[in-house]
Amino acid sequence: GQTVTNVNISESDDAPIISRHIYGHFAEHLGRCIYEGFYVGENSTIPNSAGVRLDIIEALKELQIPNLRWPGGCFADTYHWMDGIGDLEKRPTIVNTWWGGVTEDNSFGTHNFLNLCEELGAEPYLSGNVGSGGVQELADWVQYTNFKGKSPMSDLRRENGRDEPWTVKYWGIGNEAWGCGGNMRPEYYADIYKKYVTFMSDADIEGGLYKIASGASNDDYNWTEVLMKNIPKNMLEGVALHHYSVIDWDAKGPDVDFDEQTYFNTMKESWLMEELIVKHTAIMDKYDEKKEVDLIVDEWGGWYEVAEGTNPGFLYQQNTMRDAMIAGMNLNIFNNHADRVKMANLAQTVNVLQAVILTEEEKMILTPTYHVMNMYKVHQDATLIPLSFDSPKYTLKEESLPALTISASKDEGEKTHISFTNIDANKAHTVSLDLNSLNIKNISGTVLSSDSLQDHNTFENPDKIAPKDFKDFKFKKGKLEVNIPPFSVIVLEGYK
Ligand code: AHR
């Protein structure tokens, strides 16, 4: 018979809430994410609301996206927000120097983005320009978006058709300051950070602005250490971290036609997220044992060679069952670290990197990653149920990785949700859980799986991969046994 892995449920009175913001998204002016993706313009034949595709709005509402980060990414440190407000005809152009060198007309700007967030019921997360923008420019953006009273910026906002402020809480102080955001040393950036935030007014937001320092790339622990040491806690709500599941920056491998070794290597990179969170958290703990500063993973996801025949600067890639594995694993990791990780932003929402939505003219498809996010949304703002277990191994040649990630939570309606991701390309794994402490009488389940790892949805066959009912479990006298198929994602719901 098959070995059964025991999963222990730890009773805990102080388990954290899984912030809904872990399920956040990221939309940069990059390739076809904003223009042609979200934004087709009011005169488009594609059904839209103020120029934003209705099918995308509907799909993101269904996902209950809690926040959206914009306008970058690297683009953010080249972006001058004042060029994207007011009379369309008078707006200057901007050359997107990081992504394809294309000229944009600035038709999608602050009003478009913040109104879109309102329509989605999502919190906007604005990335301020620190690399090439001034202190006054960022201070003015805060006043423009947040100030109720009379001021130069709120008057300008009103002139442009918006009376009430949007009250933007989440602000990034530059992006990747160690790289495209200005190639700074962490000591220098920490000083710059303090200078910029000093002039950003907290006054109009309950509890003040939520300011996020541009964070480390991967295992640059010194970056986190220097920021934590040099920035006083009363000036800092979050420190960012970026980690992509990329196997080799010089040979990223194909988006669809990958072999099992490449898949395994992607999973290895994806698993690094666990170690990175643990180690960055340990540094943060040294300076902040009460966990007042949050870890914000504001860019994550798979990154491959662009889809054949597409612009290399546009980062358009297909999305297969491999991406579903990255999503399922990372979201479990974030949930289980909900005491420190309070926000994460998948890169990127539409047509870029590990997108949840792909478009082709009037057509739109939802990717396997979308379905995982949708299955996992039940964890948003639920209380974590800490678990412990020794994962069976996924072995290829001489190497192995833990095959399973699992996370569980209880929501306000007393429903329990358990999400399982099995990255093993070949083997099913069976787990058993004693749910007697959780007061559960019934269980239902959903699974995302497919015949091959390379499977994906296409514009011709948009529903090849979609969640289905899952019944391959036994539940008797409070004991649950679940059989998790190879490369699959399962979410179970337990209720009275
Ligand atoms: O998401 C694509 C790019 O990756 C972002 O612009 C940048 O922040 C990161 O390097």
Side-chain angles (χ1 to χ4, degrees):
Q2 211 178 6
T3 43
V4 177
T5 300
N6 266 313
V7 178
N8 300 308
I9 295 182
S10 324
E11 297 291 334
S12 170
D13 293 334
D14 58 356
I17 303 283
I18 298 171
S19 167
R20 69 181 187 283
H21 290 297
I22 283 177
Y23 292 81
H25 290 264
F26 169 37
E28 180 167 8
H29 286 234
L30 196 179
R32 297 190 302 117
C33 183
I34 296 294
Y35 296 111
E36 277 183 55
F38 276 95
Y39 190 71
V40 289
E42 284 175 36
N43 300 327
S44 171
T45 52
I46 299 171
N48 64 81
S49 159
V52 179
R53 292 178 71 125
L54 283 179
D55 51 1
I56 291 185
I57 291 176
E58 198 192 316
L60 295 179
K61 274 189 177 168
E62 167 67 23
L63 266 194
Q64 292 168 14
I65 76 161
N67 68 66
L68 189 56
R69 177 174 183 248
W70 176 83
C74 295
F75 180 80
D77 283 291
T78 67
Y79 181 65
H80 300 287
W81 69 270
M82 280 208 180
D83 295 345
I85 57 170
D87 199 347
L88 271 177
E89 272 73 60
K90 295 202 186 115
R91 295 186 191 177
T93 56
I94 177 171
V95 178
N96 196 325
T97 46
W98 290 111
W99 310 116
V102 291
T103 303
E104 298 183 5
D105 64 3
N106 265 312
S107 54
F108 189 90
T110 299
H111 288 249
N112 309 73
F113 176 70
L114 296 178
N115 292 344
L116 167 64
C117 287
E118 263 183 3
E119 191 157 357
L120 293 172
E123 294 271 356
Y125 167 11
L126 291 177
S127 271
N129 181 347
V130 165
S132 71
V135 176
Q136 186 66 51
E137 187 179 345
L138 186 49
D140 282 346
W141 207 9
V142 176
Q143 192 181 78
Y144 190 87
T145 59
N146 290 358
F147 193 65
K148 273 195 212 63
K150 187 179 164 46
S151 76
M153 289 302 118
S154 53
D155 284 350
L156 186 58
R157 182 188 71 227
R158 286 188 191 101
E159 251 170 60
N160 290 328
R162 174 80 188 197
D163 188 17
E164 285 297 302
W166 293 275
T167 56
V168 178
K169 187 173 178 69
Y170 297 95
W171 292 84
I173 314 305
N175 169 74
E176 300 197 343
W178 43 265
C180 65
N183 286 300
M184 303 178 207
R185 293 174 304 117
E187 292 80 6
Y188 181 72
Y189 173 69
D191 284 347
I192 291 276
Y193 175 94
K194 289 186 279 186
K195 176 165 152 181
Y196 275 75
V197 303
T198 302
F199 300 95
M200 296 167 72
S201 172
D202 271 326
D204 307 292
I205 300 287
E206 221 188 293
L209 301 179
Y210 187 103
K211 299 170 295 298
I212 299 166
S214 165
S217 169
N218 301 309
D219 59 356
D220 184 355
Y221 300 114
N222 181 55
W223 185 273
T224 300
E225 176 108 35
V226 173
L227 299 197
M228 291 303 294
K229 195 194 285 175
N230 291 292
I231 305 173
K233 277 195 289 246
N234 63 5
M235 297 180 104
L236 180 67
E237 282 68 35
V239 170
L241 167 67
H242 289 181
H243 170 58
Y244 285 97
S245 301
V246 56
I247 56 174
D248 178 347
W249 286 103
D250 298 321
K252 295 192 275 297
D255 57 342
V256 174
D257 292 321
F258 52 89
D259 56 17
E260 192 183 339
Q261 186 63 57
T262 304
Y263 168 72
F264 185 93
N265 295 346
T266 307
M267 290 303 107
K268 195 153 92 181
E269 284 300 319
S270 190
W271 253 120
L272 250 189
M273 185 64 88
E274 169 71 26
E275 178 184 325
L276 294 171
I277 290 174
V278 167
K279 293 190 175 166
H280 283 285
T281 295
I283 293 166
M284 294 175 79
D285 286 346
K286 263 192 355 195
Y287 298 92
D288 173 33
E289 57 178 22
K290 289 202 209 118
K291 298 194 191 290
E292 286 165 327
V293 181
D294 303 330
L295 185 58
I296 306 295
V297 188
D298 57 10
E299 289 185 28
W300 67 277
W303 191 326
Y304 322 114
E305 302 299 348
V306 296
E308 238 183 278
T310 64
N311 187 329
F314 282 10
L315 310 187
Y316 177 86
Q317 59 193 39
Q318 247 299 352
N319 197 290
T320 65
M321 283 306 292
R322 170 172 63 172
D323 296 276
M325 295 301 103
I326 296 176
M329 175 201 289
N330 278 275
L331 293 170
N332 278 335
I333 292 172
F334 298 147
N335 286 346
N336 287 325
H337 289 287
D339 60 336
R340 184 65 93 170
V341 177
K342 300 289 181 186
M343 187 192 280
N345 305 75
L346 177 62
Q348 300 193 5
T349 322
V350 185
N351 293 333
V352 169
L353 299 177
Q354 192 175 342
V356 290
I357 294 169
L358 299 175
T359 68
E360 193 182 88
E361 288 165 6
E362 77 291 349
K363 289 184 237 154
M364 180 201 89
I365 54 175
L366 306 176
T367 65
T369 302
Y370 177 95
H371 294 304
V372 175
M373 292 286 257
N374 204 22
M375 288 161 71
Y376 273 54
K377 72 184 178 196
V378 288
H379 290 302
Q380 292 189 21
D381 284 339
T383 305
L384 181 74
I385 302 172
L387 306 173
S388 60
F389 64 100
D390 273 329
S391 175
K393 296 277 180 272
Y394 164 33
T395 304
L396 186 69
K397 296 183 188 149
E398 267 83 69
E399 282 188 289
S400 49
L401 292 169
L404 300 178
T405 53
I406 311 176
S407 67
S409 68
K410 191 165 233 164
D411 69 16
E412 283 196 332
E414 293 290 292
K415 280 188 179 138
T416 299
H417 295 101
I418 313 175
S419 47
F420 306 85
T421 296
N422 176 14
I423 62 167
D424 198 316
N426 308 301
K427 281 194 203 136
H429 293 286
T430 305
V431 296
S432 92
L433 299 94
D434 185 337
L435 302 181
N436 275 303
S437 59
L438 296 174
N439 196 7
I440 291 171
K441 296 265 150 28
N442 297 289
I443 291 184
S444 64
T446 310
V447 62
L448 194 75
S449 63
S450 199
D451 296 335
S452 95
L453 274 167
Q454 292 75 10
D455 282 353
H456 55 277
N457 292 334
T458 62
F459 295 98
E460 293 70 42
N461 190 3
D463 299 316
K464 182 174 177 60
I465 299 171
K468 297 186 180 62
D469 279 352
F470 176 74
K471 301 218 164 65
D472 197 7
F473 60 85
K474 286 179 236 153
F475 186 49
K476 258 193 222 136
K477 295 194 174 141
K479 299 248 168 63
L480 173 68
E481 202 172 286
V482 193
N483 187 40
I484 311 160
F487 57 95
S488 71
V489 175
I490 292 167
V491 176
L492 297 183
E493 178 166 275
Y495 49 98
K496 275 183 246 174

